Amino acid sequence: MKRRDFLRKSVGAGFVAGTTLSFTGYNKLFGAELPETDTPYDLVAVRGGEPEAMFDKAIEAMGGMGNWVKPNQSVLVKPNIGWDVIPERGANTNPGLVRRVIEKCYEAGASEVVVFDHTCDNWRRSYQNSGIEAAVNAAGGRILPGNDESFYRDVKVPQGRQLKEAKVHELVLNTDVFINVPVLKHHGGAQITISLKNLMGIIWDRRWWHRNNLQQCIADFGTWRKPDLNIVDAYRVMMQNGPRGVSEDDIVMMRSLVISPDMVAADAASARLFGAEPHQIGHIRIAHEMGVGTMELENLSIHRIVV
């Protein structure tokens, strides 16, 4: 399908909103603006800039990285590095955003920032060709592998309905702060992948999830360990053929970013950017019902920024 045909045939009203919004339309995307308060925002959405600049605006509006990273704390930054493809394919988190997040952690006083993913393609090639290995090194972080079962530890998921246990990478257990940095994109099995789905990259036995009610397992795991902060890369968004994609024709330049400590809220807002209502995405709806977070954006304090 030619790109212009894809744009005409595949988009819903929300997707059109996400890609061609006017300033006024963008402000209305997540519901009515609540009155300004002195309390921190629940969610910040930024549109129209480069990933690094949008993140700078977002974290400033949230009160600064120091709200999450204290001096001498160790930090795990978890992007999506699942695929052996170049950044222009949008299958992995934008490397410039990853670099900027690490830099902000160090500015806040982090003692160490580590990065890893349990990749789907060859991990060495995924790390290299995604551009994320170079970005981590340039920012002074440490990138580690997730390709061996010996790195993973058994944990219980007591609130899980389908998923009762999992093998989790030891870095998640041994670091003080957990920052989740997913990329928004289409996913053939889970409909879309954002913050909740990105946590499948910290576990070993994810094939079991695919065979045993994937949407429920994703929501179940959200009850075990909530990331301290979620930063959704919606700069270059894969609208079809996910999660790996086929070509750059799968991509729409959305130039957006969503940030929230509540991963259900972050995913609900990102789903609307994608063109879906949050309740239409199984794992978002279930996670909301289980109390992992909220998809009721209309009740949140949301700050919208257009760069």
Side-chain angles (χ1 to χ4, degrees):
M1 182 185 294
K2 293 180 179 179
R3 183 178 178 83
R4 62 177 180 274
D5 295 330
F6 161 62
L7 289 171
R8 186 171 58 248
K9 294 178 180 178
S10 66
V11 300
F15 168 64
V16 173
T19 54
T20 62
L21 275 177
S22 65
F23 182 89
T24 301
Y26 184 69
N27 279 348
K28 293 179 179 178
L29 185 59
F30 308 134
E33 187 103 32
L34 295 178
E36 292 281 345
T37 69
D38 294 331
T39 57
Y41 295 114
D42 299 310
L43 184 147
V44 172
V46 190
R47 181 173 185 266
E50 294 301 302
E52 299 91 333
M54 291 193 292
F55 174 66
D56 286 349
K57 292 286 188 185
I59 197 67
E60 179 183 7
M62 294 291 282
M65 187 61 91
N67 282 345
W68 286 273
V69 179
K70 305 302 180 187
N72 299 316
Q73 285 189 315
S74 57
V75 181
L76 168 62
V77 172
K78 167 59 181 73
N80 189 325
I81 330 176
W83 307 99
D84 174 18
V85 294
I86 59 176
E88 289 74 15
R89 290 274 295 274
N92 303 305
T93 304
N94 185 283
L97 174 61
V98 175
R99 175 174 177 167
R100 195 70 184 123
V101 172
I102 296 171
E103 291 172 343
K104 285 292 184 185
C105 290
Y106 280 124
E107 289 176 16
S111 60
E112 182 180 43
V113 182
V114 295
V115 176
F116 89 97
D117 194 9
H118 182 190
T119 64
C120 297
D121 287 342
N122 176 276
W123 73 275
R124 292 185 183 279
R125 290 185 58 83
S126 297
Y127 279 20
Q128 178 179 2
N129 292 329
S130 66
I132 291 178
E133 182 176 37
V136 173
N137 291 334
R142 193 157 64 105
I143 189 163
L144 298 166
N147 68 316
D148 193 292
E149 189 173 1
S150 66
F151 301 142
Y152 293 79
R153 303 288 176 263
D154 292 326
V155 301
K156 300 294 183 184
V157 186
Q159 298 180 57
R161 296 172 178 170
Q162 180 74 14
L163 183 72
K164 298 294 185 182
E165 57 187 10
K167 284 181 174 288
V168 175
H169 199 292
E170 59 189 3
L171 287 173
V172 183
L173 305 173
N174 296 334
T175 47
D176 299 314
V177 182
F178 178 18
I179 299 179
N180 191 21
V181 194
V183 61
L184 169 62
K185 60 179 177 176
H186 171 256
H187 191 284
Q191 298 171 272
I192 57 177
T193 171
I194 326 173
S195 306
L196 286 154
K197 175 69 174 61
N198 196 45
L199 299 188
M200 289 185 74
I202 67 172
I203 62 159
W204 177 253
D205 42 357
R206 58 192 173 206
R207 289 183 180 178
W208 190 90
W209 295 25
H210 282 279
R211 296 192 301 266
N212 292 276
N213 193 347
L214 176 62
Q215 303 280 15
Q216 181 66 58
C217 287
I218 294 171
D220 284 348
F221 192 63
T223 65
W224 174 75
R225 171 68 163 95
K226 300 180 181 68
D228 298 288
L229 185 63
N230 303 277
I231 304 162
V232 180
D233 168 21
Y235 180 76
R236 188 180 276 116
V237 177
M238 182 189 297
M239 299 299 299
Q240 61 178 8
N241 295 321
R244 195 178 197 281
V246 175
S247 72
E248 292 179 35
D249 284 345
D250 297 327
I251 301 302
V252 167
M253 296 300 295
M254 211 170 279
R255 292 185 175 85
S256 297
L257 180 142
V258 173
I259 182 170
S260 176
D262 182 333
M263 60 179 165
V264 178
D267 284 10
S270 302
R272 284 192 175 169
L273 284 173
F274 195 86
E277 285 300 313
H279 70 270
Q280 297 174 317
I281 309 301
H283 59 270
I284 296 177
R285 175 181 51 76
I286 297 169
H288 168 81
E289 293 169 352
M290 294 179 72
V292 177
T294 181
M295 64 179 187
E296 295 175 348
L297 300 173
E298 293 75 10
N299 296 328
L300 299 181
S301 173
I302 297 177
H303 186 44
R304 306 153 179 85
I305 301 171
V306 176
V307 177

